[in-house]
Amino acid sequence: AQSVTQLDSQVPVFEEAPVELRCNYSSSVSVYLFWYVQYPNQGLQLLLKYLSGSTLVKGINGFEAEFNKSQTSFHLRKPSVHISDTAEYFCAVIFNDYKLSFGAGTTVTVRA
Amino acid sequence: DVKVTQSSRYLVKRTGEKVFLECVQDMDHENMFWYRQDPGLGLRLIYFSYDVKMKEKGDIPEGYSVSREKKERFSLILESASTNQTSMYLCASSLPVLEQYFGPGTRLTVT
């Protein structure tokens, strides 16, 4: 079965420190990859996406992600976080149709 | 900018009531989706539609139905609400095989 795994459910981090959120997926076919962010009491907002081309993808708010086909991973990074980055982050994958499969989410809490 | 709106942000209903959740998108997207979001489970697909009057079951369709009479509108129906349907419901729309755009969500409480 195709699945998306976010390895960390909670990530506490201090302000101005770097953060990495890990995402792995199970598939041997070509995929499309996404990271979404959800701020409290809001819907999901697209951070970045990988469809093809360069494996290093830059998104909004200083986030970037790297697609690693051999390791079937799409980890999200930010070199220096702000209090406003406190949110839940979802990795999502389109495997072989137009449906998104989501990971369970990672809650990032940024502390001063 | 794509805009996806949902009819209510918060809704409280009683067990056994029929509940309608409405979703409207303004970008002429073919595809529309309904998810429910529960802590620790991420988003789970209830139903989706890839054209007017077309629908397909997602991963958890039991207890739900949908209607898409117009391209811009996709409705989720709970025929007889139950307490285990208390959840956040998110609607999304997209062009085929591209990123989905989400509405703000409806937090439904069934008592």
Side-chain angles (χ1 to χ4, degrees):
Chain A
Q2 295 162 335
S3 63
V4 182
T5 303
Q6 291 183 241
L7 286 83
D8 307 290
S9 58
Q10 307 262 355
V11 174
V13 58
F14 285 106
E15 194 173 19
E16 298 184 7
V19 71
E20 178 179 78
L21 309 183
R22 297 177 292 168
C23 174
N24 286 91
Y25 62 92
S26 60
S27 176
S28 59
V29 300
S30 296
V31 296
Y32 301 111
L33 300 153
F34 307 84
W35 275 98
Y36 284 86
V37 61
Q38 185 179 34
Y39 300 105
N41 298 314
Q42 294 186 26
L44 275 68
Q45 178 182 0
L46 182 69
L47 271 179
L48 47 77
K49 62 186 176 185
Y50 173 80
L51 303 181
S52 65
S54 172
T55 57
L56 183 62
V57 179
K58 293 193 182 298
I60 62 171
N61 301 340
F63 284 93
E64 64 180 31
E66 185 154 19
F67 169 51
N68 188 318
K69 187 174 182 179
S70 62
Q71 297 188 2
T72 60
S73 69
F74 190 54
H75 299 336
L76 180 71
R77 302 183 184 95
K78 184 169 182 176
S80 175
V81 297
H82 304 291
I83 297 288
S84 59
D85 291 321
T86 293
E88 191 161 19
Y89 293 81
F90 292 94
C91 179
V93 181
I94 295 177
F95 289 105
N96 53 7
D97 53 26
Y98 40 76
K99 294 184 289 183
L100 270 175
S101 295
F102 284 87
T106 299
T107 299
V108 173
T109 303
V110 181
R111 301 168 179 169
Chain B
D1 275 356
V2 176
K3 191 163 187 182
V4 180
T5 56
Q6 295 183 228
S7 50
S8 305
R9 292 300 306 274
Y10 300 93
L11 209 52
V12 180
K13 295 292 182 181
R14 293 193 180 275
T15 301
E17 278 192 85
K18 190 169 186 175
V19 181
F20 292 87
L21 302 182
E22 302 284 334
C23 175
V24 178
Q25 51 95 3
D26 66 357
M27 282 303 290
D28 204 35
H29 285 169
E30 284 87 350
N31 299 336
M32 296 189 74
F33 307 81
W34 275 107
Y35 297 89
R36 65 175 283 174
Q37 181 181 13
D38 300 288
L41 297 178
L43 277 74
R44 293 179 291 167
L45 182 64
I46 304 172
Y47 267 97
F48 66 99
S49 169
Y50 50 88
D51 203 350
V52 175
K53 296 189 184 295
M54 305 300 286
K55 61 185 179 184
E56 284 197 28
K57 294 179 180 179
D59 301 319
I60 52 164
E62 296 79 19
Y64 303 95
S65 62
V66 290
S67 172
R68 194 169 181 198
E69 297 296 318
K70 294 185 178 182
K71 191 174 186 179
E72 68 272 17
R73 190 179 297 269
F74 192 36
S75 302
L76 179 70
I77 303 154
L78 288 65
E79 294 290 343
S80 178
S82 64
T83 55
N84 63 12
Q85 292 178 310
T86 290
S87 187
M88 171 73 94
Y89 290 88
L90 291 164
C91 175
S93 72
S94 77
L95 293 169
V97 205
L98 288 179
E99 66 269 26
Q100 294 180 17
Y101 294 86
F102 285 81
T106 296
R107 189 168 293 280
L108 173 67
T109 302
V110 183
T111 63

